[in-house]
Amino acid sequence: VQSWEDFERYDWPKKEDVSYRNFEEAVKHLPDGMKVIGQYGDIFTSTWEMFGFETFAMMMFEDPDLVDAVMDRIADVVLSMFENMAQIECIGAVWYSDDIAYTASLMVGPDFLRDKFFPRLKRIGEYAAARGIPLIYHTDGVLWDVFDDIMDSGVKAQHPIEPKAMDIVEVKDRVGDRLCLCGNIDVDLLSRGTPEDIGELVRKRIDQLGDRGGWCLGSSNSVPDYAKLDNYIAMVKTGLECGRLGE
């Protein structure tokens, strides 16, 4: 999309085309007491990808109405997905993913995010709250400028606390009494380290965070195919061997 003409010609996805059949299938196989996490995302990411980031950055100033129109079309589908997922009985949490930052900074200014992004994230938070289930939010990067906005949107847990962007102990000190933290076991270490390296890091994080509550052991991002299986097993096994965090 480079113009209003492109916007009008584009074959936009429709919310009625979304299938939730996988959740119906999952129910048949769930052990007693287990729930499913409903996940989707990328209202912001899909918007800038529709333009290309350089054009998107220019359009934020030259034609903000077009940016908003694209974001509305994408959000219309994504928000309907979360509204529907929040009502499915087998779903015990919803997870929204949308990177708004990298290791050094937010991708755009916080004012844009507060005007265009967080109100839409808050809608998802409201769907989750109405059902009484938590909203988990994933974004990489440094988030100090917008942690309050994230929490005000109804987010209850933040993933992944990217190690290169923020110190998880500092995050815990500053917002950990209001926000559950998830992840932080470095994906690079999972890929290039040893099981001993992983075990050492997991034990360190448990020592730092375990007795304070509000931390879920996990990787610092999606686990890639090239990560070593033995390292992933070491992460899980070490967590289980240490018992319930905080004990």
Side-chain angles (χ1 to χ4, degrees):
V1 174
Q2 305 291 295
S3 66
W4 281 103
E5 289 76 15
D6 294 337
F7 175 86
E8 296 297 339
R9 285 196 301 264
Y10 191 81
D11 185 16
W12 297 96
K14 300 175 179 62
K15 54 189 176 184
E16 55 267 25
D17 294 335
V18 178
S19 171
Y20 302 90
R21 181 182 300 174
N22 286 343
F23 296 115
E24 298 170 6
E25 292 298 315
V27 172
K28 302 174 184 177
H29 306 284
L30 284 178
D32 290 343
M34 181 177 286
K35 296 286 187 177
V36 173
I37 296 176
Q39 188 273 338
Y40 204 74
D42 290 344
I43 294 172
F44 171 72
T45 299
S46 295
T47 299
W48 71 254
E49 286 180 341
M50 290 291 296
F51 291 97
F53 197 85
E54 183 176 348
T55 300
F56 167 75
M58 295 174 63
M59 288 291 187
M60 286 170 57
F61 297 95
E62 294 180 357
D63 198 343
D65 289 342
L66 179 57
V67 171
D68 206 32
V70 170
M71 214 166 189
D72 269 339
R73 283 294 183 96
I74 295 167
D76 183 54
V77 177
V78 174
L79 293 176
S80 73
M81 292 171 68
F82 279 92
E83 184 177 17
N84 290 325
M85 286 191 295
Q87 298 176 47
I88 298 174
E89 182 61 31
C90 71
I91 288 181
V94 288
W95 182 312
Y96 179 80
S97 301
D98 205 349
D99 288 333
I100 59 172
Y102 58 102
T103 55
S105 175
L106 296 171
M107 293 175 66
V108 295
D111 288 344
F112 176 89
L113 295 171
R114 289 171 185 142
D115 185 36
K116 305 297 185 183
F117 174 73
F118 287 115
R120 293 174 166 110
L121 181 61
K122 189 173 183 178
R123 290 271 301 278
I124 299 172
E126 290 168 350
Y127 299 146
R131 167 77 192 287
I133 58 176
L135 168 59
I136 307 165
Y137 175 44
H138 164 91
T139 175
D140 296 331
V142 57
L143 303 171
W144 297 122
D145 290 341
V146 292
F147 262 127
D148 286 340
D149 302 282
I150 289 170
M151 291 182 285
D152 289 345
S153 299
V155 173
K156 302 303 181 185
Q158 181 65 44
H159 179 271
I161 318 300
E162 186 181 358
K164 291 182 179 180
M166 295 181 293
D167 177 357
I168 194 169
V169 176
E170 184 181 1
V171 177
K172 186 65 180 174
D173 289 341
R174 292 173 62 171
V175 301
D177 59 337
R178 296 176 288 160
L179 192 63
C180 178
L181 310 181
C182 306
N184 195 247
I185 302 304
D186 193 354
V187 167
D188 185 67
L189 194 66
L190 285 170
S191 302
R192 298 197 287 182
T194 65
E196 291 74 24
D197 294 332
I198 298 299
E200 181 181 353
L201 179 57
V202 170
R203 286 187 291 272
K204 179 180 179 180
R205 290 292 180 261
I206 290 174
D207 287 343
Q208 293 172 319
L209 306 168
D211 63 352
R212 303 172 67 180
W215 173 59
C216 298
L217 172 63
S219 63
S220 69
N221 208 308
S222 301
V223 180
D225 292 343
Y226 53 79
K228 296 176 184 176
L229 180 59
D230 287 346
N231 287 348
Y232 182 85
I233 292 172
M235 178 180 71
V236 176
K237 185 178 179 180
T238 303
L240 293 173
E241 286 176 348
C242 289
R244 181 177 176 275
L245 301 190
E247 290 186 351

